[in-house]
Amino acid sequence: MIITATGIVLLTVAIYIVMSLIYRRFHHPVLLPALTATAAVVALLLVFEIPYETYMIGGQWINRLLGPAVVSLAYPLYKQRHVLRQNLLAILGGSIAGLLIGMCSGMLLTTWLGFSRLYVLSVLPKSITTPVAIQISGSLGGDSSLTSVFVMIAGFTGAIGGPYILKLFRIQSEAGIGIGLGTASHALGTAKSLEYGEQSVSMSSVAMTVCAIAGSVIGPLIVWLMVH
């Protein structure tokens, strides 16, 4: 069991390192390590017919590192605290506006396409980081597994397409970049914002947190308005 867990952890880390090197060499948004490494792991599991439960013998240890990774974001936040105070209104306004657009657009699209209420409620919290989105989805009557998929899709599309949108609208402010990526793509957007500077990371992590808190209130409110 220990050997299996260690092997899976080392393999996963090795795949991520290789994909990171490829990304640094070609630096194309589609080659984002989080995306390519995930695809490579899934491909290996399918080719060698390895059950998900077997992979999670080691994968669970990687999953447990997510908590410390999120907490570590407090360091750039502390270093950029004066910038945060100066941009407080911009952060709150941008994050909440982006959250509302993300929630309403997903809800309206699934409704327009004729999906059932389960899908509508599952896609509603897609613009919120996974742990919080799952809780919101479950409390509203959605499916947590579907919500996880929608959150991943939102994260990957935002992290990949975000740089093109930023370039299209000529957004060069680190604060603006961080707020946009954090709001649209939560954790993956925050990881992407590392490429733009420490201030972007700080803004992105704050925007992600604001969306999680505001989404916990706005999500049930939107559902209540749907019913009434």
Side-chain angles (χ1 to χ4, degrees), residues 32 40 47 49 52 56 67 73 79 140 157 161 186 189 195 228:
L32 195 70
V47 170
E49 298 182 352
Y52 176 75
M56 285 307 293
L73 292 173
K79 291 187 67 177
L140 297 179
T157 52
H186 21 85
E195 300 176 18
H228 293 79

Side-chain angles (χ1 to χ4, degrees), residues 15-32:
I15 290 173
Y16 187 84
I17 291 174
V18 171
M19 295 305 173
S20 296
L21 293 174
I22 293 174
Y23 181 66
R24 290 179 184 176
R25 174 67 178 82
F26 298 100
H27 205 71
H28 193 283
V30 177
L31 297 177
L32 195 70

